[in-house]
Amino acid sequence: MQEINLNYWRTLIATLLLAWLSTVSAVADGPAEPVWKAGVSSVKITPDGPAWMAGYASRDKPSDGVELDLYAKSLVVQDGSGETLVVVTLDLISVPGPLRKFVEQKLAETRGLKPANLLLNCSHTHSGPEIRTTDSARSGLEPERRQQAIAYVESLQKRILSSIDAAFVKLAPARLSFQKARAGFAMNRRLASEQGYRNSPNPDGRVDHDVPLLRVEDATGAIKAIVFGYACHNTTLSFYQMNGDYAGYAQQYLEEAHPGIVAMFMMGCGGDQNPYPRRKLELAKQHGRTLATAVEAGLETPKREISGSLKVTFQTADLEYADAPAKDELLQRAQSTSEHEKKYAERLLNELENGTLLTSYPAPIQVVRFGDAILFVALPGETVVDYSLRIKRENQLPGGPDVWVAGYSNDVFAYIPSLRVLLEGGYEAGGAMQYMTTVIQPGAFAPNVEDLLMKSVNQLIKATALELPVSTSE
Ligand SMILES: [Zn+2]
């Protein structure tokens, strides 16, 4: 009897104590424990020693130094149910399709992740190494340069995987929130002239000056990572020193100002946007400072806390090309005095003979919903600004999630013009197709390019909103 009584009193006291403690802690802590987990890491991907650089066909020698190191940065986010998003940002010209496939397959093998769980984005810096992932991209290279290209891709793959692994190891309770600001140094670079649209600052052209931020805090409220977006080519510089251009400096300045954090740049739909003015190192730093300052301003705006769950979707949209040029026309173009035009025509003739000339391209489209707070759309290729403006205009509703549109994600294979840009003509409309190396592009896209891309985007947006099942095909 005595023992039972003792147990009764012990249980009662323990229960009362627990109830009192939970009341006290609820008052002291305010919001509930974080439901998210996050881990972040940063790995250097600057080539060891001189390397051929990507971005300008006119470069005729390898790099001669490093002005600012380049990084692969990974953020792993998990919701309460364990749904995962792996975000990798790269200070590189491109995310070649084969590079994404490699990472995707490794994550499927080692962690059972689906394509929808992985997002790769590149800053499109024109002062980084070339990334030649396919035989056709390496055809015609001197043996030494070819060997160097193969070695760099292998080392890049390893470093990206190690960065993702490090972020998984650091997974810990986290709070996520959305904030935003603006920055104005991006200007439309398509100027109408009597010779058609040329690459020149156009102060009246369309721009997207939004700077969206994903703020990642640990359970104590300390910032661990800031992901920030901007829609503008990283083309301030064109010299022979490796660096991440304005986005590289913006990340560096933020990491200096907030010791211990990882700052990650997410390229927006900046296919037709350039930073102005250009060409001097001081200007790349100045634009970087401007963007970092905008991010700091954003950090002072009201935080939109992200609750709820993560919904990840991914599918490919088959973008169709306009009719391929006929053999006769290509034979004629192969006589061109322009070295690039000549080589391009020869490659297309080769594809035509082999029956491998593309008629469409499977472009990856990804939509991620962060609770009720962010609708995140990641577009492939060098998407022009019309896409982010349109997707925000059609989906940014009062009280609804903030819409964030990234370009240059998952497979950066070519410029993707809107119908408007396609009809206007010029570099982004199809003129640049001859410079694409990973996949030989037969020519301009068909006029239905915007319709096909938007159809896929809208399907995924609908699927994330209504929790419908969605294809996660590769
Ligand atoms: Zn570009």
Side-chain angles (χ1 to χ4, degrees):
M1 279 299 279
Q2 228 176 2
E3 212 178 316
I4 290 166
N5 264 337
L6 199 62
N7 275 342
Y8 168 81
W9 283 111
R10 270 189 194 146
T11 312
L12 184 66
I13 289 166
T15 309
L16 287 173
L17 196 64
L18 267 177
W20 177 74
L21 275 174
S22 68
T23 319
V24 168
S25 77
V27 171
D29 292 350
E33 281 299 294
V35 290
W36 298 93
K37 278 186 178 170
V40 67
S41 93
S42 172
V43 168
K44 211 179 278 185
I45 53 170
T46 323
D48 309 318
W52 283 84
M53 299 173 80
Y56 300 103
S58 57
R59 283 205 183 93
D60 57 5
K61 57 178 192 200
S63 61
D64 58 15
V66 177
E67 160 58 32
L68 183 66
D69 274 315
L70 309 171
Y71 293 89
K73 298 177 179 177
S74 300
L75 169 67
V76 177
V77 169
Q78 273 182 351
D79 71 9
S81 74
E83 181 64 286
T84 302
L85 180 68
V86 178
V87 181
V88 181
T89 60
L90 301 161
D91 296 331
L92 289 175
I93 187 83
S94 164
V95 181
L99 177 68
R100 158 142 189 133
K101 276 271 172 254
F102 172 85
V103 179
E104 192 182 285
Q105 276 163 11
K106 287 288 172 195
L107 291 184
E109 286 163 23
T110 58
R111 300 183 185 275
L113 294 182
K114 304 180 299 281
N117 298 118
L118 173 66
L119 164 64
L120 290 170
N121 180 279
C122 67
S123 73
H124 199 47
T125 175
H126 282 46
S127 298
E130 55 181 21
I131 319 160
R132 296 180 183 268
T133 50
T134 56
D135 282 339
S136 82
R138 295 187 286 256
S139 74
L141 295 186
E142 297 287 312
E144 195 187 338
R145 182 170 171 187
R146 187 186 153 79
Q147 207 40 53
Q148 194 186 54
I150 292 172
Y152 182 69
V153 170
E154 281 173 2
S155 127
L156 179 63
Q157 289 171 337
K158 277 189 201 139
R159 295 190 216 188
I160 290 174
L161 292 180
S162 78
S163 151
I164 294 174
D165 284 343
F168 267 103
V169 167
K170 290 180 189 160
L171 269 179
R175 288 199 169 87
L176 307 183
S177 48
F178 176 83
Q179 293 171 301
K180 60 188 171 185
R182 293 175 74 79
F185 62 87
M187 201 190 290
N188 193 290
R189 67 179 199 185
R190 289 170 50 81
L191 189 67
S193 76
E194 281 176 10
Q195 293 79 41
Y197 279 81
R198 58 193 178 86
N199 192 328
S200 196
N202 175 7
D204 298 318
R206 293 184 191 170
V207 293
D208 179 354
H209 284 164
D210 284 355
V211 180
L213 315 181
L214 175 67
R215 171 182 182 136
V216 181
E217 296 173 352
D218 67 13
T220 70
I223 300 180
K224 302 309 284 180
I226 303 167
V227 185
F228 61 103
Y230 197 54
C232 183
H233 260 64
N234 268 284
T235 44
T236 318
L237 296 172
S238 52
F239 64 178
Y240 286 85
Q241 302 254 304
M242 294 283 174
N243 74 89
D245 212 277
Y246 76 81
Y249 293 105
Q251 293 172 88
Q252 185 194 27
Y253 297 149
L254 287 165
E255 289 176 358
E256 283 169 3
H258 304 267
I261 73 151
V262 176
M264 299 168 70
F265 174 78
M266 179 76 68
M267 176 65 163
C269 297
D272 49 353
Q273 310 290 305
N274 261 353
Y276 292 108
R278 303 167 69 194
R279 302 298 182 213
K280 286 184 191 153
L281 179 58
E282 276 320 297
L283 293 170
K285 293 182 177 178
Q286 198 172 307
H287 297 321
R289 180 60 71 194
T290 301
L291 186 52
T293 304
V295 172
E296 295 288 1
L299 292 174
E300 292 188 11
T301 64
K303 282 195 274 184
R304 183 169 188 176
E305 295 273 353
I306 305 174
S307 57
S309 59
L310 195 60
K311 175 84 181 167
V312 294
T313 62
F314 185 93
Q315 68 182 12
T316 51
D318 271 323
L319 302 184
E320 296 166 6
Y321 295 102
D323 288 340
K327 191 173 178 182
D328 285 354
E329 189 199 323
L330 289 175
L331 286 168
Q332 207 173 0
R333 278 161 58 181
Q335 306 300 317
S336 169
T337 48
S338 146
E339 192 57 25
H340 272 285
E341 174 64 25
K342 186 169 162 311
K343 265 192 192 159
Y344 180 47
E346 285 168 0
R347 296 175 101 189
L348 290 184
L349 277 168
N350 196 31
E351 295 288 307
L352 200 61
E353 258 164 45
N354 295 337
T356 49
L357 198 62
L358 296 177
T359 54
S360 69
Y361 191 85
I365 313 287
Q366 187 172 29
V367 175
V368 176
R369 173 77 88 117
F370 292 81
D372 293 331
I374 308 178
L375 178 62
F376 187 98
V377 179
L379 300 179
E382 299 199 44
T383 29
V384 298
V385 79
D386 287 346
Y387 284 103
S388 63
L389 297 178
R390 176 174 171 181
I391 292 170
K392 284 189 265 194
R393 188 175 65 239
E394 293 177 357
N395 294 283
Q396 186 74 67
L397 306 167
D402 275 281
V403 182
W404 182 337
V405 187
Y408 294 79
S409 297
N410 297 318
D411 185 354
V412 182
F413 54 93
Y415 280 90
I416 306 183
S418 57
L419 177 61
R420 174 184 70 87
V421 169
L422 187 81
L423 296 178
E424 286 174 357
Y427 189 75
E428 298 85 358
M433 285 301 201
Q434 61 180 304
Y435 301 108
M436 302 300 145
T437 53
T438 306
V439 177
I440 297 168
Q441 299 290 325
F445 283 113
N448 61 359
V449 61
E450 181 172 342
D451 280 350
L452 290 173
L453 189 142
M454 286 305 301
K455 192 176 156 205
S456 188
V457 167
N458 288 333
Q459 279 173 357
L460 295 188
I461 288 179
K462 206 170 158 195
T464 58
L466 301 175
E467 308 284 335
L468 292 175
V470 66
S471 138
T472 51
S473 70
E474 344 160 33

